[in-house]
């Protein structure tokens, strides 16, 4: 909500010395979020005056149309002679009153006006548009043409109200009343302890039986409907400058007088209104739910198919508006048009004003259903004062009579659903107990009365809530009002004292260790939205029967293109890699840890839990049973150079081995060991894919895959060539952990190294050979490392040679050559038995 300070002063007598910054501080202290204070006219200096166009000479020798104008600015230029000005705009004519910036003026953006020669003539000033003066959009994008009654030579800065301060307030959903000048003025008056001139306090005629006919078929959706009629409007009447400027300062674009007046009253009182052209209405106005398949063309020109839950305004032909959201095009106020034959100006001369109160939830759902958020729906869904409808209609009628020369018909239609005032019972010391501060009954009563409540009782207060505060429903709401008005800054700051011995869970510690280890290995963490499109599975070559394809679909997704919760981290992470690569960062190593969502075996609907007591264990178990399984995963993606080239040597591109090493890094931090074999799955290249597994409770379980992505997947997703990736189920890896990692005992005795080269079949995994060698070597083996592989004619077709370095060491003695050799031979013998390995050269 944009609040011009000059407009705010009409309702609250603020001290003349108070600036926008001062008001901002007061409102923030009262609990409002005043984000900025905009200084209108900053950098603008005169002379800026009203001028009358005397002559216009069209200069046709240039590529674009140029006009050489003489403008009467009176004595503002010091000579009284007409001012010669070059201008390219076409929306003004001889005799029009315009705004002229004379030499020496400075416009916003430090644009200095001076005499200069251009297009073969000397231009002594500038004829200004609204954009050039920082006034905002007026719908014309052209020169400001003023009404003829303004005197030549008068100061245009005061006329156009160019100097002002505007407070930009972020209104939270519970403070819908602050989406109006009335609401903000009330908060300002309370903050300064000053009286409020309530603009809604108007003399309103009583309803009668000869107003415009209205039928409300859904009193729950529409609890109040007021209709007033104004006839005899001048179709040529334009909104006055003060009205247009207030709309512009508040962030709205002036359109026509009738529309501008309804928007102005909405900003002033917070009550959305709508004006119908009575000549376009067919019969009585109705309020009902839409019929299945009904359509309406709204004011934005869009044909919308209505939902049976939509509340609509109708006449005899059908829907003429979506209630509380947007009106229909078939009853729109007609623009003034001059008849070419008669020269008469034709337009809407009779209007019916609607001021209604609609159900907040219904309007919110309709606006979201049609993706149609308007200024009206924004206010209705936050709560509008139902008692303000009649005053808003009266204010609109008064302005149309005043500004358009109309006549208000005597008929007043007002349909009201029966309702009672809302009351809340509260102990007088309840705010004291909530805040931990002693306020006392007098302070509590005074603060509640300031916000508009009627308060009765002594120790037990009965509070009647004002109609404009639908958010006040229970004692804690009333306590919050007292506390915020007394000042949140006055609450004592007491830090809680947590009990000793409680900290992060083991799962949380593992999560943090993994993140730190990957960051230390050169990866950058990327946090992505947990939403995906089901088409991504086809692009990743995921099998049709894979569990990953069983997604949980959202009812109200942020984007229709990504309606499902992710079942893997790679889609979002690969999208981040693609975006960064497209923006010039080609050497990338990204990681993410996060939850994925697997659909339950049997879908169900969670029961609605009560809030008046703690849910039972059975109720919580029922809710958890229908929630998706949410394991934590970790994933990395790599592209480009893994090591940069420089004076220190050649660089190295990222490869599948880096992805596998990232998986090993994760496993080490989790305190477990991965079983790595050649694998094949989905997006990975079948010859460069590692299958990753761990042993949980004696059974081997797959936890993920790592390697280089298939070229087909790389092309489908627009990724850099040779992109590599890894994804692991971090929860399963953690379950495979043996517990606390014990630090190794460092032996002071020397190591004995033995190398062994074994020939095995091509399809025997090196990891299996290594595991068997480790088992056969026994306790003396300290480490084993594969340092060479070889294939060729020397070892035979279908065979490969694997060379391992074995390091032996004893904790209590120096090993002899015979002991090391015996351990090596035992390892080779077991490898020959289990894998068919043959010692190379034997």
């Amino acid at each position: 909500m944009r609040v011009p300070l000059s407009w705010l002063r009409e309702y609250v007598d603020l001290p003349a010395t108070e600036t926008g910054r001062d008001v901002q501080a007061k409102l923030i202290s009262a609990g409002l979020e005043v984000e900025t204070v905009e200084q209108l006219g900053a950098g603008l200096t005169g002379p800026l005056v009203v001028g009358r166009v005397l002559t216009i000479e069209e200069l046709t020798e240039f590529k674009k149309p140029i006009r050489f104008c003489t403008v009467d600015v009176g004595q503002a230029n010091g000579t009284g002679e007409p001012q010669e000005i070059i201008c390219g705009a076409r929306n003004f004519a001889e005799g029009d009153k315009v705004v002229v910036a004379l030499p020496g003026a400075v416009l916003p953006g430090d644009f200095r006006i001076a005499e200069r020669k251009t297009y073969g003539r000397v231009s002594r000033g500038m004829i200004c548009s609204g954009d050039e003066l920082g006034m905002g959009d007026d719908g014309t994008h052209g020169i400001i043409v003023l009404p003829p009654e303004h005197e030549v030579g008068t100061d245009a800065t005061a006329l156009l109200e160019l100097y002002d301060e505007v407070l930009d307030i972020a209104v939270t959903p519970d403070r819908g009343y602050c989406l109006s000048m009335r609401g903000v003025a009330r908060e300002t008056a309370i903050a300064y302890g000053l009286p409020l001139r309530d603009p809604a306090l108007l003399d309103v005629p009583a309803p009668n039986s000869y107003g415009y006919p209205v039928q409300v078929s859904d009193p729950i959706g529409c609890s109040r409907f007021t209709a007033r009629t104004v006839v005899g409007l001048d179709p040529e009447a334009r909104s006055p400058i003060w009205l247009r400027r207030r709309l512009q300062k508040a962030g709205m674009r002036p359109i026509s007088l009738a529309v501008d007046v309804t928007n102005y009253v909405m900003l002033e009182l917070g009550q959305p209104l709508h004006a119908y052209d009575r000549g376009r209405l067919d019969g009585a106005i109705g309020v009902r739910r839409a019929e299945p398949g009904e359509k309406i063309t709204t004011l934005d020109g869009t044909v919308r198919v209505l939902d049976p839950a939509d509340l609509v305004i109708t006449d005899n032909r059908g829907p003429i508006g979506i209630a509380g959201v947007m009106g229909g095009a078939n009853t729109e106020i007609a623009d003034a048009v001059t008849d070419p034959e008669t020269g008469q100006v034709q337009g809407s001369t009779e209007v019916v004003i609607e001021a209604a109160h609609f159900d907040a939830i219904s309007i919110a759902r309709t606006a979201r259903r049609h993706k149609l958020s308007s200024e009206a729906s924004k206010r209705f869904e936050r709560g509008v004062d139902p008692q303000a409808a009649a005053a808003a209609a009266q204010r609109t009628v008064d302005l149309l009579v005043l500004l358009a020369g109309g006549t208000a018909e005597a008929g007043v239609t007002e349909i009201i659903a029966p309702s009672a005032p809302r009351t809340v019972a509260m102990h007088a010391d309840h705010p004291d107990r909530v805040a931990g501060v002693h306020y006392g009954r007098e302070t509590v009563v005074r603060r509640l009365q300031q916000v508009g409540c009627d308060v009765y009782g002594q120790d037990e207060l009965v509070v009647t809530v004002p109609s404009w505060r639908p958010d006040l429903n229970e004692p804690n709401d009333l306590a919050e009002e007292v506390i915020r008005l007394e000042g949140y800054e006055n609450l004592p700051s007491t830090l809680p004292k947590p009990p000793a011995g409680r900290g992060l869970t083991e799962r949380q510690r593992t999560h943090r260790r993994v993140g730190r280890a990957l960051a230390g290995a050169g990866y950058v963490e990327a946090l992505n939205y947990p939403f995906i499109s089901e088409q991504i599975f086809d692009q990743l070559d995921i099998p049709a029967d894979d569990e990953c394809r069983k997604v949980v679909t959202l009812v109200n997704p942020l984007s229709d293109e990504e309606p499902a919760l992710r079942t893997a981290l790679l889609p979002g992470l690969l999208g981040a890699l693609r975006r960064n690569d497209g923006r010039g960062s080609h050497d990338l190593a990204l990681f993410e840890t996060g939850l994925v969502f697997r659909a339950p075996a049997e879908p169900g609907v969670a029961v609605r839990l009560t809030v008046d007591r703690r849910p039972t264990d059975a109720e919580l178990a029922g809710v958890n049973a229908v929630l998706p399984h949410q394991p934590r995963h970790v994933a990395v993606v790599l592209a480009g150079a893994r090591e940069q080239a420089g004076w220190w040597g050649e660089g190295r591109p990222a490869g599948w081995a880096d992805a596998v090493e990232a998986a090993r890094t994760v496993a080490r931090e989790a305190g477990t060991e991965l079983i790595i074999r050649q694998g094949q799955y989905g997006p990975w290249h079948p010859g460069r894919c590692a299958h990753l597994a761990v042993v949980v409770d004696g059974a081997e379980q797959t936890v993920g895959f790592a390697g280089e992505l298939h070229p087909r997947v790389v092309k489908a997703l627009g990724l850099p060539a040779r992109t590599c990736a890894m994804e692991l189920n971090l929860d399963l890896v953690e379950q495979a952990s043996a517990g606390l990692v014990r630090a190794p005992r460092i032996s002071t005795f020397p190591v004995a190294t033995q190398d062994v080269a074994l020939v095995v079949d091509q399809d025997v995994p090196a990891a299996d050979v290594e595991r068997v060698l480790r088992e056969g070597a026994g306790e003396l083996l300290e480490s084993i490392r594969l340092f060479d592989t070889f294939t060729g004619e020397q070892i035979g077709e279908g065979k490969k040679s694997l060379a391992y370095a074995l390091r032996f060491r004893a904790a209590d003695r120096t090993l002899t050559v015979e002991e090391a050799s015996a351990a090596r031979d035992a390892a080779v013998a077991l490898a020959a038995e289990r894998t068919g390995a043959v010692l190379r050269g034997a």
Side-chain angles (χ1 to χ4, degrees):
M1 176 69 185
R2 290 172 56 85
V3 179
L5 188 58
S6 60
W7 194 357
L8 185 62
R9 289 181 183 275
E10 284 198 4
Y11 313 117
V12 184
D13 289 326
L14 294 172
T17 57
E18 287 293 285
T19 66
R21 296 290 183 190
D22 299 329
V23 177
Q24 178 189 30
K26 286 282 190 179
L27 293 180
I28 289 176
S29 179
L32 294 183
E33 298 181 21
V34 186
E35 295 185 328
T36 60
V37 178
E38 183 179 350
Q39 304 289 332
L40 299 185
L44 172 67
T45 58
L48 196 70
V49 299
V50 176
R52 183 168 64 88
V53 180
L54 301 176
T55 64
I56 299 176
E57 179 185 351
E58 301 287 348
L59 305 182
T60 59
E61 62 269 27
F62 303 101
K63 292 183 179 180
K64 63 178 182 178
I66 297 297
R67 296 169 134 189
F68 179 69
C69 310
T70 58
V71 184
D72 178 14
V73 295
Q75 296 298 319
N77 58 3
T79 65
E81 296 295 324
Q83 204 77 3
E84 298 176 340
I85 300 174
I86 293 288
C87 186
R90 315 292 297 174
N91 68 313
F92 65 97
E94 292 180 357
D96 283 345
K97 297 286 181 68
V98 294
V99 178
V100 179
L102 297 175
V106 180
L107 302 188
D110 198 28
F111 184 66
R112 299 180 179 276
I113 305 301
E115 291 189 6
R116 62 191 183 96
K117 187 173 183 179
T118 179
Y119 296 103
R121 306 290 179 95
V122 176
S123 181
R124 297 178 172 86
M126 186 173 77
I127 302 176
C128 300
S129 67
D131 288 338
E132 290 163 339
L133 297 178
M135 294 172 55
D137 183 17
D138 62 357
T140 65
H141 299 290
I143 293 302
I144 300 172
V145 179
L146 301 171
E149 63 268 18
H150 296 293
E151 185 178 349
V152 168
T154 55
D155 181 14
T157 58
L159 176 66
L160 299 177
E161 302 177 14
L162 296 180
Y163 298 113
D164 204 348
E165 294 179 276
V166 178
L167 285 72
D168 193 351
I169 303 175
V171 179
T172 52
D174 62 331
R175 303 207 180 276
Y177 66 96
C178 284
L179 286 172
S180 67
M181 294 299 303
R182 180 192 183 202
V184 176
R186 178 177 286 106
E187 291 293 327
T188 306
I190 296 172
Y192 279 91
L194 296 171
L196 168 70
R197 287 188 291 273
D198 191 344
L201 296 180
L202 301 174
D203 291 329
V204 179
N208 50 53
S209 60
Y210 41 94
Y212 197 89
V214 175
Q215 298 175 349
V216 177
S217 303
D218 190 340
I220 296 177
C222 177
S223 60
R224 184 180 294 259
F225 196 107
T226 301
R228 300 289 300 276
T229 305
V230 181
V231 299
L233 299 177
D234 181 2
E236 292 187 86
R238 298 174 56 194
S239 301
I241 291 176
W242 65 265
L243 177 58
R244 296 166 65 89
R245 287 297 294 134
R246 285 190 173 178
L247 290 177
Q248 287 176 322
K249 292 176 185 179
M252 302 189 76
R253 179 171 61 88
I255 298 174
S256 64
L257 178 57
V259 176
D260 291 350
V261 166
T262 58
N263 285 337
Y264 177 82
V265 175
M266 178 185 68
L267 291 172
E268 184 178 49
L269 301 182
Q271 169 67 54
L273 301 111
H274 190 71
Y276 300 95
D277 187 330
R278 189 166 78 165
R280 295 186 175 188
L281 288 173
D282 183 5
I285 292 176
V287 183
R288 61 170 172 82
R289 299 289 173 174
E291 300 291 341
E294 276 189 314
K295 297 181 179 180
I296 184 175
T297 302
T298 46
L299 289 173
D300 58 0
T302 302
V303 178
R304 303 182 187 275
V305 179
L306 297 172
D307 187 274
D310 293 336
L311 195 66
V312 294
I313 311 298
T314 66
D315 64 4
N316 291 340
R317 296 165 298 180
I320 58 174
I322 303 177
V325 180
M326 186 173 285
N330 55 348
T331 56
E332 181 181 8
I333 300 295
D335 294 331
V337 179
T338 303
D339 190 320
E341 296 182 0
T342 64
Q344 293 182 344
V345 177
Q346 299 177 347
S348 298
T349 59
E350 299 181 352
V351 298
V352 177
I353 306 301
E354 166 207 305
H357 184 266
F358 300 113
D359 178 63
I361 295 177
S362 176
I363 299 305
R365 289 175 176 171
T366 297
R368 283 157 179 75
R369 189 179 298 119
H370 293 282
K371 297 180 174 60
L372 184 61
S373 178
S374 63
E375 291 293 330
S377 68
K378 186 190 306 181
R379 286 165 171 80
F380 276 123
E381 65 189 41
R382 286 165 172 79
V384 169
D385 182 4
Q387 303 292 337
Q394 182 63 45
R395 177 70 164 144
T396 305
V397 168
D398 292 343
L399 288 173
L400 288 176
V401 170
L402 174 67
L403 302 177
T407 301
E409 289 194 345
V412 177
T413 302
E414 191 166 38
I415 299 176
I416 304 174
S419 62
R422 292 180 297 116
T423 60
V424 178
M426 180 185 73
H427 288 288
D429 65 344
H430 182 68
D432 300 16
R433 289 185 281 114
V434 171
V437 175
H438 178 70
Y439 293 124
R441 180 187 178 281
E442 291 185 1
T443 299
V444 171
V445 172
R446 175 171 55 85
R447 288 302 189 184
L448 291 178
Q449 289 175 341
Q450 285 179 333
V451 300
C453 298
D454 291 330
V455 185
Y456 305 95
Q458 293 298 318
D459 294 337
E460 184 72 23
L461 302 179
V462 177
V463 181
T464 302
V465 176
S467 57
W468 59 83
R469 293 300 301 272
D471 58 303
L472 302 181
N473 298 304
E474 58 181 49
N476 284 338
D477 297 329
L478 301 178
E480 180 186 358
E481 292 300 299
V482 175
I483 295 168
R484 76 176 180 88
L485 294 179
E486 283 295 304
Y488 289 122
E489 68 277 8
N490 296 323
L491 294 177
S493 178
T494 305
L495 295 177
K497 296 180 179 180
R502 298 183 182 179
L504 299 176
T505 64
E506 184 59 33
R507 187 186 190 207
Q508 291 170 332
R509 285 195 290 269
T510 300
H511 179 206
R512 293 194 179 188
R513 285 200 307 270
V514 167
R516 285 194 293 264
L518 290 175
Y523 292 87
V524 176
E525 186 172 15
L527 301 178
N528 299 291
Y529 284 119
F531 311 118
I532 60 171
S533 165
E534 294 187 60
Q535 297 176 352
I536 191 67
F537 300 124
D538 296 328
Q539 296 172 317
L540 290 174
D541 281 350
I542 302 296
D545 59 347
D546 195 277
E547 288 294 321
C548 277
R549 287 184 176 266
K550 298 178 182 179
V551 298
V552 178
T553 304
L554 299 175
V555 176
N556 56 340
L558 294 180
S559 169
D560 291 336
E561 296 179 357
E562 296 180 333
L565 291 173
R566 67 188 179 191
T567 56
L569 299 181
L570 280 184
L573 208 51
L574 291 172
L577 183 138
R578 180 178 62 248
R579 284 191 298 273
N580 282 274
D581 180 73
R583 295 171 182 172
S585 297
H586 303 302
D587 301 325
L588 296 163
L590 308 177
F591 84 94
E592 181 178 10
T593 60
L595 301 179
V596 299
F597 305 86
R598 300 295 175 88
E602 296 183 3
V605 178
V607 298
R608 185 182 294 274
L609 300 178
T610 61
V611 296
D612 59 343
R613 58 174 174 80
R614 184 189 184 279
T616 65
D617 293 341
E619 289 173 334
L620 292 175
V623 171
N624 290 330
V626 299
L627 292 178
H629 180 52
Q630 302 174 47
R632 184 174 294 278
H633 279 208
V634 57
V636 305
V637 292
L638 304 99
R642 186 65 176 134
E643 296 178 2
Q644 297 289 339
W647 56 265
W648 52 84
E650 296 182 359
R652 180 178 67 82
W656 62 268
D658 295 300
V660 175
E661 183 57 31
R664 287 197 177 100
T665 299
V666 172
R668 280 194 298 270
E669 293 301 324
T672 188
E673 186 174 346
L674 287 177
I675 301 172
I676 302 175
R677 298 190 184 92
Q678 183 175 352
Q680 181 175 348
Y681 175 73
W684 281 277
H685 193 297
R688 298 167 186 159
C689 174
H691 174 272
L692 309 174
V694 294
V695 176
V696 179
D697 297 330
E700 185 176 305
Q701 293 194 35
T702 299
V703 292
F705 295 87
E708 182 180 318
L709 297 184
H710 197 288
R712 183 169 57 248
V713 174
V714 169
K715 181 178 180 181
L717 295 178
L719 302 172
R722 311 298 293 271
T723 295
C724 300
M726 176 278 291
E727 181 161 355
L728 283 176
N729 185 327
L730 189 56
D731 283 352
L732 275 180
V733 172
E734 185 181 357
Q735 290 178 30
S737 172
L740 292 176
V741 178
R742 293 185 178 276
R745 183 177 178 182
I746 306 300
S747 174
T748 59
F749 295 95
V751 67
T753 303
Q754 296 273 355
D755 293 343
V756 60
L758 301 176
V759 178
V760 296
D761 292 338
Q762 280 276 16
D763 58 352
V764 176
D768 289 351
V769 177
E770 179 180 322
R771 188 171 60 256
V772 173
L773 288 174
R774 188 184 298 275
E775 181 182 347
E779 295 181 354
L780 293 179
L781 181 67
E782 183 178 81
S783 67
I784 181 171
R785 178 175 61 89
L786 176 68
F787 66 87
D788 185 49
T789 61
F790 176 75
T791 57
E793 297 179 358
Q794 297 91 325
I795 59 173
E797 185 177 354
K799 301 289 185 178
K800 63 182 177 182
S801 172
L802 304 175
Y804 294 91
L806 287 74
R807 291 167 56 91
F808 299 97
R809 195 193 313 255
D812 57 350
R813 68 188 185 278
T814 300
L815 292 178
T816 65
V817 175
E818 290 77 11
E819 287 177 308
S821 298
R824 181 202 64 182
D825 293 342
V828 172
L830 190 60
E833 177 185 342
R834 299 270 184 89
T835 66
V838 177
L839 195 62
R840 185 174 175 183

